[in-house]
Amino acid sequence: MIVVIADDITGAAELAGIAFSHGFTSEVQTEFNSKTDADVICLDTNTRLLTVEDAAAKLRALAKRIVAAKPDWIYKKTDSVLRGNIAAELHTLLGATARTRAIFIPANPSRQRVIREGCYFIGNTPLHETDFVNDPHHPATTSVVSEIIGNDPAILIPDARSESDLDQHARKSDSLVLPAGAADFFGANLRAQGHEPAPVITLPHS
């Protein structure tokens, strides 16, 4: 069993779809229940708009139940443009899962969302120069990823400009690493374990 922990329902559903496309059965949950036949549980914690303290407390309680279920591995899904209580939730999961570090890649190169020299870009535009600067809850006031989530040596934020970059870092996700980030890095972690996406079949027009 793989458990994906997302902070909103959209992220949970997105990764459930990716898991399905890689040959897994998947299930979206809003209350964690390990008694399922699904290969992948995508849990919506609904913590994005909570205070930092409330988000950490809620995730801490959930993490105990998730760890007790002994999943094969856990992926922390975050918003691809860095909204939410990312640092607090990563710290909480690192402590609960006894991982020593997180590899955090919120970039989605498939959507031209990349990290270059530590800065987040959408296309060629720095994050803080996009419309996300006007987000009512988590305005993007800088494009430096480490400044947004806090400079912490336990959270590694590598550059990610391409799918091959993601694959390279996914191969480093051993038992001491908590992989975290956006949808593309989740797919890379599945590929690193030998799970390729099913080919897209295009039916001819009648």
Side-chain angles (χ1 to χ4, degrees):
M1 177 178 63
I2 299 168
V3 176
V4 172
I5 302 174
D7 64 1
D8 74 346
I9 192 70
T10 303
E14 181 183 18
L15 267 60
I18 291 173
F20 181 78
S21 73
H22 284 73
F24 293 95
T25 56
S26 57
E27 181 175 294
V28 175
Q29 297 182 355
T30 55
E31 295 289 339
F32 180 68
N33 180 10
S34 62
K35 299 184 185 303
T36 174
D37 293 329
D39 301 317
V40 181
I41 295 173
C42 294
L43 176 65
D44 166 29
T45 63
N46 194 27
T47 52
R48 182 174 298 180
L49 300 183
L50 297 182
T51 65
V52 171
E53 295 78 13
D54 287 347
K58 184 174 184 178
L59 194 56
R60 191 175 300 113
L62 284 169
K64 291 180 180 178
R65 297 174 54 203
I66 292 168
V67 170
K70 298 181 178 180
D72 296 320
W73 55 284
I74 295 169
Y75 186 83
K76 178 63 181 88
K77 167 68 170 71
T78 69
D79 181 53
S80 66
V81 290
L82 302 163
R83 294 171 295 185
N85 300 297
I86 294 173
E89 296 195 7
L90 288 177
H91 281 298
T92 299
L93 286 177
L94 283 172
T97 60
R99 266 51 173 186
T100 60
R101 62 196 184 280
I103 297 179
F104 174 54
I105 305 183
N108 271 334
S110 67
R111 302 178 186 176
Q112 297 186 344
R113 298 183 174 191
V114 302
I115 300 173
R116 299 197 301 264
E117 299 180 356
C119 295
Y120 198 103
F121 292 84
I122 299 179
N124 290 316
T125 305
L127 179 63
H128 71 284
E129 295 180 10
T130 69
D131 289 341
F132 290 107
V133 72
N134 299 315
D135 186 89
H137 302 288
H138 300 283
T141 58
T142 177
S143 298
V144 181
V145 180
S146 62
E147 290 182 2
I148 295 173
I149 68 163
N151 294 282
D152 187 331
I155 302 174
L156 309 180
I157 310 169
D159 282 0
R161 310 181 187 204
S162 65
E163 183 178 283
S164 62
D165 287 341
L166 299 179
D167 289 336
Q168 175 187 349
H169 295 297
R171 290 192 290 269
K172 300 176 183 177
S173 295
D174 58 26
S175 61
L176 296 178
V177 168
L178 173 68
D184 282 7
F185 191 44
F186 178 63
N189 276 271
L190 294 180
R191 291 194 300 274
Q193 297 182 25
H195 304 289
E196 294 293 334
V200 177
I201 299 175
T202 303
L203 298 176
H205 294 290
S206 58

